[in-house]
């Protein structure tokens, strides 16, 4: 049996996780969404997955382990260093954007404000990363 594609999301804000999850429901057919509420939670969940996520949405501003730290750990680990990581943050500060790309982010997306905007952004991300882009093998 073929494994269903996986999308991972890590965000410490429960409201944002809810909005993202609801937005994904509108555009996904077979994909499974894994939600993590911290960097540590994400890293632990990645260890249990049979395949790599098709892409990861990563918040920057989280307690204990920032998104920058999570990104650094992912890029330093040969199992995860090619996984597409999309920063999904409220910050539009140029130093944050620059640092994210320097650490190996594949994209930087400012979090939407309304649910309608969430749906639109998530639909665009799904279309690009699941239908248009060619990505590395998902085997771990």
């Amino acid at each position: 049996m073929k494994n269903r594609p996986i999308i991972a999301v890590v965000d410490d804000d429960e409201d944002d996780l809810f909005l993202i999850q609801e937005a994904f429901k509108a555009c996904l057919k077979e994909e499974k969404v894994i939600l993590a509420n911290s960097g540590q939670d994400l890293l632990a969940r990645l260890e249990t997955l049979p395949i790599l996520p098709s892409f990861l949405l990563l918040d920057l501003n989280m307690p204990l382990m920032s998104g920058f730290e999570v990104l650094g750990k992912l890029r330093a680990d040969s199992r995860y260093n090619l996984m597409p990581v999309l920063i999904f943050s409220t910050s539009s500060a140029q130093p944050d954007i620059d640092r994210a790309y320097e650490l190996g982010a594949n994209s930087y997306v400012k979090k939407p404000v309304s649910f309608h905007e969430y749906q639109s952004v998530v639909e665009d991300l799904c279309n690009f990363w699941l239908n248009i882009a060619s990505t590395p093998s998902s085997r771990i």
Side-chain angles (χ1 to χ4, degrees), residues 58-105:
L58 177 61
D59 185 29
L60 285 183
N61 301 310
M62 298 183 292
L64 304 177
M65 184 185 294
S66 74
F68 292 124
E69 291 172 288
V70 174
L71 181 57
K73 287 182 181 293
L74 293 172
R75 293 304 183 232
D77 189 322
S78 63
R79 295 172 296 173
Y80 311 122
N81 65 348
L82 296 178
M83 179 177 58
V85 177
L86 290 57
I87 301 302
F88 201 58
S89 178
T90 56
S91 172
S92 58
Q94 194 61 50
D96 287 343
I97 296 168
D98 293 345
R99 184 170 178 210
Y101 280 109
E102 288 166 1
L103 289 170

Side-chain angles (χ1 to χ4, degrees), residues 20-38:
I20 292 166
Q21 184 176 30
E22 292 301 305
F24 272 119
K25 285 180 184 177
C27 73
L28 297 179
K29 294 179 177 88
E30 302 178 3
E31 294 78 10
K32 179 179 179 181
V33 178
I34 302 294
L35 302 176
N37 59 15
S38 70

